[in-house]
Amino acid sequence: MTPAITPEVAVAGRARVGEGPVWDAPSGRLHWVDIPAGHIHTSDPTTGQTSTLTLPTQVGAAVPRRSGGFVAAVAEGFASVEAGMTVRCAILPEGERMNDAKCDRHGRLWAGSTTMDFQPGRGALHVLGPDWTTRVVLEGLTLPNGLDWSPDGRTFYLADTMAGEISAFDADPERATIGRRRTFARFPQGTGMPDGLTVDATGCLWVAMWGGDRVVRLSPDADLLGELPMPVHQPSSCAFGGPALDVLYITSAREGLDLADDDPAGSVFAVNGLGVAGTPAAVFAG
């Protein structure tokens, strides 16, 4: 990172908890959510204009479906979302909700669940298949958050925010399974907590540090390659977008902060000139 690289507001907003950015290449739009508001936003970063779908529930993430509309990770489990219609698949007990989610290259949606009060060990990692069958692939988490795969699909990364760490797993992309687990990175208290993340085309991780005022870049060997200072205290997630997938979009949150009305927290930021690109976002095959 260089001092000349500065995050700029791409979409001005006041999201309580902006999250889950995903670039929709066919439309040239960025989808992202406001979790407690139940909003699925679709923004044009070139104009800053946004359209919004409002769900009658909390929404942790929303990913485009191959057949149109979205599949969303919501409080009850999963939802099929089209304009004016939501069909929910309830798999979670009351007091829990889905959090961050992302599709793998085979069109399956992976999502973490947590309790509303973040009880240790009550979180889990779920996989939703294109046929709408679900299974739990990992238990014993607290607040499963950012998730992504290495470019070859053989390593799966998962942040557990409250634990302050990112785990790496051996992954079988064909069978949608994860195996050997190891601690990839651990962050000391007071430096921010790992939230949403994305993996670039070189295999490096970009991690939004909630409460840490920055986004960090880690090598596949977990070396700290750089830090991107943010003008907000709670950057929440990030994703590459733009025609060349070389713009890093970063969501943020206002929740829990005493802020002036003109504070940019809750907006989506864009960072150009990083010299790296992401990989195309996968869509849900169902």
Side-chain angles (χ1 to χ4, degrees):
M1 315 288 185
T2 68
I5 297 176
T6 304
E8 303 289 345
V9 173
V11 182
R14 296 175 58 85
R16 289 173 58 189
V17 184
E19 262 284 5
V22 56
W23 181 255
D24 185 356
S27 68
R29 300 293 190 268
L30 184 76
H31 306 299
W32 56 289
V33 304
D34 185 349
I35 293 176
H39 291 162
I40 302 175
H41 298 300
T42 298
S43 299
D44 182 349
T46 62
T47 64
Q49 297 299 305
T50 295
S51 61
T52 302
L53 286 172
T54 301
L55 306 188
T57 185
Q58 293 194 24
V59 54
V63 177
R65 292 186 331 200
R66 185 176 297 164
S67 57
F70 299 93
V71 61
V74 298
E76 296 82 357
F78 298 104
S80 173
V81 181
E82 300 177 63
M85 183 176 71
T86 303
V87 179
R88 276 174 265 178
C89 173
I91 63 170
L92 295 178
E94 188 174 352
E96 298 185 16
R97 67 170 175 86
M98 288 294 183
N99 197 45
D100 205 358
K102 190 169 292 183
C103 276
D104 65 23
R105 299 301 169 195
H106 292 268
R108 299 167 293 227
L109 186 71
W110 295 60
S113 65
T114 185
T115 60
M116 297 295 187
D117 56 356
F118 308 132
Q119 293 181 34
R122 287 281 303 278
L125 180 66
H126 308 252
V127 177
L128 173 70
D131 60 356
W132 282 80
T133 58
T134 66
R135 59 189 173 90
V136 174
V137 295
L138 183 65
E139 295 181 299
L141 304 168
T142 299
L143 179 54
N145 227 315
L147 66 163
D148 209 347
W149 293 262
S150 59
D152 66 3
R154 295 293 175 181
T155 303
F156 174 71
Y157 299 100
L158 177 67
D160 195 340
T161 297
M162 291 301 186
E165 65 182 39
I166 299 171
S167 295
F169 302 79
D170 293 343
D172 184 332
E174 300 296 330
R175 299 172 57 199
T177 58
I178 53 177
R180 182 176 65 97
R181 179 181 184 176
R182 60 265 189 205
T183 298
F184 176 77
R186 183 176 287 116
F187 301 90
Q189 285 190 344
T191 64
M193 299 183 290
D195 201 329
L197 63 83
T198 190
V199 176
D200 66 29
T202 70
C204 294
L205 281 70
W206 297 77
V207 187
M209 297 300 294
W210 179 276
D213 310 82
R214 71 196 195 284
V215 174
V216 300
R217 188 189 188 204
L218 304 174
S219 77
D221 295 321
D223 296 319
L224 179 63
L225 300 180
E227 298 188 349
L228 180 65
M230 294 293 297
V232 291
H233 187 53
Q234 295 176 162
S236 54
S237 191
C238 50
F240 282 94
L245 295 179
D246 59 352
V247 181
L248 187 67
Y249 290 103
I250 305 163
T251 52
S252 64
R254 299 180 70 87
E255 188 90 321
L257 301 177
D258 184 11
L259 302 172
D261 287 344
D262 61 352
D263 191 286
S267 299
V268 179
F269 297 84
V271 185
N272 292 273
L274 292 170
V276 296
T279 58
V283 300
F284 185 62

